[in-house]
Amino acid sequence: MLRISFRSSSRRWLYRSFLFLSVTLPCVASGTGRAAKPHPVTTAEADRFVDSLLARMTLEEKIGQMSQIALNSPEGAKRDERIIKGEVGSLLFVRDPQEINRLQHLAVEKSRLHIPLLFGFDVVHGYRTIYPVPLALAASWEPATAERAQRMAAREASSVGIRWTFAPMVDIARDPRWGRIMEGAGEDPYLGSRMAEAQIRGFQGDRLSDPDSILACVKHFAGYGAAVGGRDYDSSDISEEQLRNVYLPPFHAAIEAGAGSLMSAYMDLNGVPATGNRWLLHDVLRKEWDFRGFVVSDWDSVPSLTTHGFSSGPEDAAVRAVNAGVDMEMTSTTFRNYLADAVKKRLVAPSAIDAAVRGILTAKYKLGLFQEPYVPLERSQKELVSEEQRDASRTIATRTAVLLRNQDDLLPLRKDLKSIALIGPLIDSQPDVMGSWSLGAHPEDTVTVAEGLKRYLASSSTKVLATKGVEIERGQPSIFDDQFPSPKPTLKTDAEKETEFRHAIDLVKQADVSVLVLGEAQTMSGERASRSTLTLPGKQEQLLKAAVATGRPVVLILVNGRPLNITWASEHVPSILDVWYPGTEAGNAIAELLFGEAVPGGKLPVSWPRSVGQVPIYYARNLTQIPDDPDTRYWDGSSAPLYPFGYGLSYTRFSLGTIKTSAGSVASGGSVDVSIDVENAGKYAGDQVVQLYTHQRAGSASRPVRELKGFRRVTLKPGERQTITLKLDTRGLGFWSSQTHQWAIEPGMFDIWVGTDSNATQHATLEVTPKT
């Protein structure tokens, strides 16, 4: 394989008439030197550079920048040839830093205009070191935690030459049947917006030109999380009122935070495919929000415009996508094959092509790729799965766990136990504690639950009695089976399965306490992993019931990417701890949580249903004809969630004082401080999340019964008291009215609640008066 080496004193590229500065390529890709840190890039400088470069480009070279090739595409040797001809702008799934440098060498040194390639990858919750899935990051209710996870992920990905991630996913999801709920921040636009901003900061860092920053790509624009029936890829039918007030705010927040790119969605939105939806991609995104980055299609979503019955064929699909506002086509070749002729036929204006290419070139320039296109090989050797990465992964996994039940303070476990039974199909599976979208990871790096618990107890006399009890398997193949499979079952006969089940219960009977690790394999959650039920897969609930029936203490550890039906467990299992998919350091983090070295302080970013018949379910519902009986809407069961949005317990106890506001009224556009005292009344140091909710009593449209408008996570020592003050900005009380068809802060009376979940009881009122 070609090894490329450039020393700063031996090679300099001068982009003559179209450059306003000399560009130095000093990186030693063979690993004997260090990359120079690119200088800060101003918008004006980028604009001058791109204007000059665009003026020299042919139509074919421009379309090349709008085209992405995947590593597994059937290009063969033609890929290198296309790069040299300037027919490729980006590559996907290339992870070897030496291969990245080789391909970059072709683009930078052998193509006519020396335009560098942009290498992309799905860095969703880590690259080689895996962090908790995004839904878990949202459960931290701590934007700084989400930012840190994505900063560490950016460091790893950039160390191999990947400078573009297809994350964060900011789709609001209120139906847990939808498999991709695990990729987002849950049901709430306020929490989702704060997590979106944090992840943009994490990926892109202080400056995109820094070598450890990567370009974020906000997805999937828009409404993808509202798929009918929770079925992935199905259409979404969303009123403009819901779009504006619920589904679009996290996208807007991400763009305001500086997101450099955005991905169009697969599905039809209100009858128009999102990838061909000019209202979305032009009217809202560029005219209203002034988005200056570029838009990439989702996988095959340009040719799929024809599949949807929207375009008449591939040329029409290319035309409609570009004219709607798509700038780059992900992996498919519709742009490459048809755009040039479409321009000649005047179906697409040359200015539309220039606008698309401008955003792509600007992103490359701001990333510093024109100045430093190569990656030093020694960077990845120091960064991948480093101790710093592992420490961060473990800490973040402990901060995202949610304690759902802890009867009689069973947790944390005593350290003088003689034996612990560790039971469940996920106790020794490395991939299944990592979660979907761990495509850059090596499972062997991961600490399983069994390994972590045994390691934690290695110096004690406590015995760990471990067995799986049952096995689980997804009924249909996963689209990721070839890239990142879950372990296959090994128990083949009914007799083998029955023997293993009985063995597990025998261990439960022998042990002082049993820890059952149940949930979903990682292939059961994620893209194309929607479900018609929310039950524990396989015979896991039977195993749980049999364990509880022994009368021995049982702790349930949930490994999952969505709420599951644990209604029976919520009444019969003493302690339930949801760790989601915790990542590379799963076993170590879970051991720390079980024994109290880490105290769970996460909160649910979703309302947890009692059964699948309740979904979609969310706290921010509108008041109805029977407002006093909101939990009796079904005659055959409660309509209330099993656990409310924002819920989560701790090993310690907290008490809240009385709500106080700095003023009883405030002019529109102003703000008011809302304060409450929080005291740790227990015996452990722990975290509490103070949450602020509002309700507008009257206006031009009905408003939800409650809406989250502020929160803060605080750590308190035993006996410590702290006054938490949240600033309520009246601009956050505005909404888009279906009556007036505009955003406004409408004067009137507002209810305010402060508490520790969406059922908060500490109440005050606030009058918002007209702006003077």
Side-chain angles (χ1 to χ4, degrees):
M1 183 176 291
L2 177 66
R3 295 180 70 86
I4 309 154
S5 177
F6 298 100
R7 300 191 181 277
S8 57
S9 60
S10 65
R11 185 86 178 184
R12 297 175 68 88
W13 282 102
L14 178 66
Y15 293 80
R16 294 178 175 84
S17 61
F18 61 91
L19 279 181
F20 287 83
L21 70 163
S22 293
V23 178
T24 305
L25 302 180
C27 168
V28 181
S30 62
T32 60
R34 186 173 300 280
K37 192 172 185 177
H39 67 280
V41 175
T42 66
T43 299
E45 177 188 318
D47 288 345
R48 289 194 302 269
F49 178 90
V50 171
D51 285 344
S52 185
L53 182 52
L54 268 172
R56 289 178 56 91
M57 296 176 73
T58 66
L59 176 60
E60 288 71 23
E61 288 168 331
K62 292 174 182 178
I63 294 172
Q65 289 301 303
M66 300 170 66
S67 302
Q68 182 186 70
I69 292 179
L71 176 66
N72 56 354
S73 66
E75 295 285 339
K78 290 184 178 179
R79 182 184 61 182
D80 288 10
E81 182 182 334
R82 291 191 187 281
I83 292 171
I84 293 170
K85 288 182 178 180
E87 296 178 353
V88 181
S90 172
L91 279 99
L92 179 63
F93 296 146
V94 186
R95 292 187 286 150
D96 176 22
Q98 188 156 319
E99 176 66 0
I100 284 175
N101 280 344
R102 186 190 74 82
L103 296 169
Q104 196 70 281
H105 169 81
L106 298 178
V108 170
E109 300 199 40
K110 294 192 176 182
S111 70
R112 187 177 76 91
L113 293 177
H114 319 295
I115 300 173
L117 298 165
L118 180 57
F119 291 88
F121 195 78
D122 292 283
V123 186
V124 176
H125 55 108
Y127 175 64
R128 175 71 179 270
T129 304
I130 299 301
Y131 289 79
V133 294
L135 188 64
L137 295 178
S140 74
W141 282 63
E142 192 171 40
T145 289
E147 180 177 348
R148 185 186 181 199
Q150 305 301 28
R151 179 92 294 269
M152 299 300 287
R155 283 172 45 178
E156 277 200 331
S158 63
S159 78
V160 302
I162 293 167
R163 298 298 303 279
W164 187 21
T165 178
F166 304 108
M169 191 196 88
V170 301
D171 296 295
I172 295 296
R174 294 177 164 182
D175 188 336
R177 293 174 298 181
W178 188 54
R180 300 192 79 168
I181 190 173
M182 53 80 68
E183 283 184 64
E187 72 182 54
D188 185 75
Y190 184 87
L191 179 63
S193 295
R194 303 295 79 78
M195 290 297 162
E197 296 162 346
Q199 291 183 81
I200 298 301
R201 293 192 299 268
F203 285 131
Q204 298 191 169
D206 295 330
R207 299 183 309 186
L208 266 179
S209 59
D210 288 343
D212 61 358
S213 292
I214 62 178
L215 188 74
C217 184
V218 188
K219 63 183 186 184
H220 307 82
F221 198 61
Y224 183 44
V228 173
R231 297 183 296 271
D232 205 6
Y233 310 149
D234 267 16
S235 60
S236 297
D237 191 359
I238 310 170
S239 69
E240 188 169 2
E241 185 272 334
Q242 284 284 288
L243 266 175
R244 297 281 191 175
N245 292 318
V246 176
Y247 292 92
L248 293 184
F251 287 95
H252 189 229
I255 289 165
E256 289 292 296
S261 66
L262 180 144
M263 184 186 295
S264 63
Y266 286 118
M267 80 300 147
D268 280 6
L269 175 64
N270 299 335
V272 179
T275 296
N277 195 316
R278 184 172 172 83
W279 177 78
L280 266 183
L281 299 177
H282 179 266
D283 295 359
V284 174
L285 183 63
R286 299 195 184 275
K287 287 185 68 177
E288 291 185 28
W289 296 354
D290 196 30
F291 177 61
R292 299 297 181 90
F294 71 92
V295 175
V296 63
S297 71
D298 207 338
W299 188 282
D300 269 353
S301 66
V302 173
S304 288
L305 293 178
T306 303
T307 306
H308 284 253
F310 181 69
S311 58
S312 59
E315 181 182 73
D316 190 31
V319 169
R320 290 189 181 221
V322 170
N323 286 339
V326 175
D327 303 315
M328 180 185 286
E329 182 178 12
M330 179 183 284
T331 71
S332 46
T333 60
T334 320
F335 282 7
R336 187 173 79 195
N337 294 340
Y338 296 97
L339 266 187
D341 283 346
V343 172
K344 293 171 185 175
K345 295 175 183 177
R346 298 185 179 181
L347 299 174
V348 175
S351 59
I353 300 295
D354 285 355
V357 178
R358 179 181 301 281
I360 297 165
L361 294 177
T362 298
K364 292 182 177 183
Y365 190 82
K366 289 184 174 182
L367 281 165
L369 291 175
F370 282 95
Q371 182 183 356
E372 184 50 73
Y374 301 105
V375 59
L377 297 187
E378 76 275 8
R379 268 195 63 200
S380 62
Q381 296 165 6
K382 296 176 181 178
E383 189 68 64
L384 300 181
V385 208
S386 66
E387 283 304 308
E388 185 183 2
Q389 291 281 352
R390 284 190 177 275
D391 287 346
S393 177
R394 183 175 64 256
T395 298
I396 290 171
T398 63
R399 296 194 70 78
T400 56
V402 181
L403 183 64
L404 298 176
R405 179 175 164 87
N406 198 25
Q407 183 179 344
D408 300 326
D409 294 330
L410 178 57
L411 292 178
L413 296 177
R414 303 191 330 268
K415 296 184 179 180
D416 61 351
L417 296 169
K418 293 181 179 179
S419 59
I420 297 174
L422 183 63
I423 310 293
L426 306 176
I427 63 169
D428 216 20
S429 172
Q430 291 169 314
D432 289 327
V433 292
M434 298 164 72
S436 185
W437 293 113
S438 299
L439 302 180
H442 294 187
E444 61 268 23
D445 295 333
T446 295
V447 181
T448 67
V449 182
E451 181 185 355
L453 190 59
K454 291 174 181 177
R455 182 184 299 174
Y456 185 88
L457 295 171
S459 61
S460 74
S461 60
T462 305
K463 293 182 180 179
V464 178
L465 312 173
T467 195
K468 53 191 170 184
V470 297
E471 294 178 321
I472 57 174
E473 185 179 25
R474 177 173 156 148
Q476 298 176 353
S478 164
I479 60 173
F480 298 113
D481 279 345
D482 292 339
Q483 297 165 282
F484 195 76
S486 290
K488 294 293 184 183
T490 59
L491 302 173
K492 302 300 183 182
T493 67
D494 290 343
E496 289 175 330
K497 295 174 184 177
E498 179 64 22
T499 298
E500 174 60 25
F501 191 101
R502 290 180 180 276
H503 174 55
I505 300 307
D506 285 342
L507 295 184
V508 171
K509 293 175 181 177
Q510 296 173 33
D512 292 336
V513 65
S514 295
V515 176
L516 271 69
V517 183
L518 309 179
E520 295 179 308
Q522 56 88 20
T523 54
M524 297 176 178
S525 189
E527 184 169 354
R528 207 166 174 180
S530 296
R531 296 185 60 185
S532 62
T533 71
L534 297 175
T535 55
L536 288 166
K539 294 187 176 181
Q540 292 183 97
E541 184 158 308
Q542 292 95 312
L543 180 69
L544 180 62
K545 289 180 176 179
V548 171
T550 66
R552 309 296 291 172
V554 172
V555 175
L556 171 60
I557 301 287
L558 286 175
V559 176
N560 55 309
R562 55 160 65 88
L564 298 171
N565 186 339
I566 56 167
T567 301
W568 183 89
S570 71
E571 298 173 355
H572 298 92
V573 178
S575 293
I576 305 174
L577 180 65
D578 192 343
V579 299
W580 313 100
Y581 293 112
T584 298
E585 282 287 298
N588 292 331
I590 290 169
E592 290 184 2
L593 287 161
L594 284 173
F595 286 94
E597 279 199 34
V599 175
K603 301 282 185 175
L604 292 177
V606 289
S607 301
W608 196 291
R610 297 173 184 273
S611 70
V612 73
Q614 291 181 304
V615 303
I617 188 170
Y618 47 92
Y619 81 94
R621 64 191 184 279
N622 281 18
L623 290 168
T624 67
Q625 199 71 14
I626 316 173
D628 296 331
D629 293 307
D631 301 335
T632 58
R633 308 303 297 279
Y634 301 120
W635 65 261
D636 60 345
S638 172
S639 54
L642 182 63
Y643 301 113
F645 174 82
Y647 173 86
L649 303 176
S650 175
Y651 295 158
T652 192
R653 303 284 186 270
F654 293 94
S655 62
L656 271 62
T658 303
I659 186 173
K660 298 176 182 177
T661 59
S662 59
S665 65
V666 62
S668 177
S671 62
V672 61
D673 289 339
V674 181
S675 302
I676 197 165
D677 288 343
V678 182
E679 182 179 0
N680 183 343
K683 58 183 180 179
Y684 298 98
D687 288 15
Q688 183 57 277
V689 179
V690 178
Q691 305 165 35
L692 186 155
Y693 296 86
T694 67
H695 168 65
Q696 182 172 329
R697 291 184 176 180
S700 64
S702 300
R703 301 300 300 135
V705 60
R706 294 190 182 195
E707 295 179 281
L708 180 69
K709 296 299 178 183
F711 61 88
R712 182 178 302 167
R713 181 167 175 165
V714 59
T715 303
L716 296 176
K717 299 175 183 178
E720 184 180 1
R721 177 184 297 180
Q722 191 173 131
T723 299
I724 304 301
T725 299
L726 301 172
K727 186 173 290 294
L728 178 59
D729 192 327
T730 57
R731 289 174 295 182
L733 300 177
F735 70 99
W736 191 90
S737 171
S738 56
Q739 284 272 65
T740 64
H741 295 277
Q742 63 183 10
W743 279 93
I745 306 167
E746 297 184 347
M749 293 299 297
F750 287 78
D751 293 296
I752 300 173
W753 294 271
V754 175
T756 58
D757 60 43
S758 56
N759 291 333
T761 57
Q762 286 293 324
H763 178 257
T765 59
L766 176 70
E767 182 180 13
V768 176
T769 61
K771 189 174 183 179
T772 56

